Amino acid sequence: AAELEYESVLCVKSDVNVYRIPPRTSNRGYRASDWKLDHPDWTGRLRVTSKGKTAYIKLEDKVSGELFAQAPIDQYPGIAVETVTDSSRYFVIRIQDGTGRSAFIGIGFTDRGDAFDFNVSLQDHFKWVKQETEISKESQEADTRPKLDLGFKEGQTIKLNIGNMTTKKGGAAKPRVSGSGGLSLLPPPPGGKIAVPPIPPPSSTAIANHVTPPPVLKSTNVNSADILLDLDAPASASKAPASATTDLWGDFSTASSAVPNQAPQQSNWVQF
C-alpha cells in the first residue's frame, strides 16, 4: 500500500506540442503528416511519473503547472501510447478524465533527443515491472514447494578430519606428544620421573693398559742410572701383554736388568 501511494518522476520535458488528430479509418497506423504540424492546438510541459506499476503522462502548463490532460499507461508498447509510422518525434496517447471518458491526441517534440528520452523512460519502467512480476511469481512458487530440511536430526553426529586428528563434533581431541624420529609417545603420568640410563663401567682392557708408575723415593744417593731406569720403565711396561696385570712391579725389575754394561747399584725399591 505504501508503494502504491508513492509517486516518482521518470522524465520531464519543458516543451511539447499537442495536436488534434482525425479518427483512424484503417489499421495501417497513424501518420504525423496528416496533422497540422505548423499549428499545434496546445503547447506546454510534459512530465512522466510512476505510481506502483502504472505510469502516467501528464501535460501541464509551463508557468502555473496546472494539469491539462493525463494519460495512464499500464503497458508499453500498447494502445495507450503508439508511435507514428513516418516520424520518431511524434506519438499518439490516450488521455482520460476522472469520469472514465477517453480521447486520442497527438504529441510531438521539437528536439529528437527529447523524444528519445520520453521513449526510454517508459521502456525502463515497464522493464522493471516485468522483473518484479517474475520475482514475485518465483517467490510464490517457492512457498508452495516442500522445503528441504538440512538440519541435524536427534542423535545425528558429524565427523571432522583436521590434519591427523579425527574427532567427533562436541568432543575434545586427546593430546599426543611427538618424540624423536616422528614417533608419537604418550605423556608421562603425573608426578612420574624419567629414569636416566646408567653410565657403563670402564672396560678391564683400558685399566690393564693404564699403568701408574710407582712413587719415586727421595734419596740423596740416587745416581743418573736410576733416573734412566725410571724413564725406560713405562716403555717396557707398555709392551707387556694385557693379561699380566697381577705383577706390576716385576716389569720395573726386568727393565733394570736389561741395561748392558751397567754396574750393579744399590736398589732403593722395597720388595714385598
Side-chain angles (χ1 to χ4, degrees):
E3 183 181 359
L4 295 176
E5 293 176 358
Y6 177 75
E7 184 178 13
S8 61
V9 178
L10 304 179
C11 179
V12 176
K13 296 301 174 183
S14 59
D15 191 8
V16 63
N17 298 323
V18 177
Y19 304 93
R20 290 182 181 179
I21 59 176
R24 185 169 54 180
T25 59
S26 63
N27 294 329
R28 63 182 178 90
Y30 294 97
R31 292 174 58 88
S33 58
D34 298 337
W35 309 343
K36 298 177 181 181
L37 300 180
D38 296 336
H39 302 282
D41 296 299
W42 184 84
T43 301
R45 180 180 63 188
L46 179 141
R47 192 159 58 99
V48 181
T49 62
S50 65
K51 197 172 183 180
K53 296 181 179 181
T54 306
Y56 296 89
I57 299 175
K58 296 183 178 182
L59 303 175
E60 301 171 345
D61 187 82
K62 292 182 179 180
V63 180
S64 62
E66 183 181 358
L67 182 63
F68 172 75
Q70 177 176 270
I73 305 170
D74 53 2
Q75 185 179 359
Y76 183 78
I79 192 175
V81 179
E82 297 182 43
T83 58
V84 297
T85 59
D86 57 347
S87 177
S88 61
R89 295 186 293 115
Y90 297 92
F91 302 86
V92 176
I93 62 175
R94 184 184 61 183
I95 59 175
Q96 293 180 352
D97 58 4
T99 60
R101 295 181 301 176
S102 62
F104 290 91
I105 61 174
I107 61 173
F109 299 94
T110 305
D111 189 0
R112 196 176 300 275
D114 293 342
F116 177 80
D117 295 340
F118 168 75
N119 190 19
V120 170
S121 63
L122 293 177
Q123 289 179 355
D124 291 343
H125 172 72
F126 286 99
K127 185 183 296 184
W128 170 82
V129 171
K130 183 179 179 181
Q131 293 177 354
E132 289 292 321
T133 304
E134 292 177 354
I135 292 173
S136 61
K137 183 178 180 181
E138 291 177 358
S139 62
Q140 292 177 358
E141 292 178 355
D143 294 338
T144 57
R145 297 173 186 172
K147 296 182 179 180
L148 182 61
D149 187 10
L150 299 178
F152 286 99
K153 306 299 186 295
E154 184 177 358
Q156 186 177 3
T157 58
I158 185 173
K159 184 178 292 185
L160 301 176
N161 294 329
I162 304 176
N164 295 327
M165 297 185 298
T166 303
T167 60
K168 289 187 176 180
K169 186 178 180 181
K174 296 181 179 180
R176 294 184 179 181
V177 179
S178 298
S180 60
L183 299 178
S184 298
L185 303 178
L186 294 176
K193 297 182 178 179
I194 300 175
V196 180
I199 300 175
S203 61
S204 60
T205 306
I207 297 175
N209 294 332
H210 181 73
V211 178
T212 304
V216 180
L217 297 178
K218 293 182 180 181
S219 175
T220 56
N221 298 326
V222 178
N223 52 16
S224 60
D226 294 334
I227 296 175
L228 294 175
L229 292 175
D230 294 338
L231 296 174
D232 295 335
S236 61
S238 61
K239 296 179 181 180
S243 60
T245 58
T246 57
D247 190 5
L248 300 177
W249 301 107
D251 295 336
F252 290 96
S253 301
T254 307
S256 60
S257 61
V259 178
N261 298 327
Q262 181 68 31
Q265 299 292 335
Q266 186 179 356
S267 176
N268 292 328
W269 300 103
V270 180
Q271 297 181 2
F272 296 92

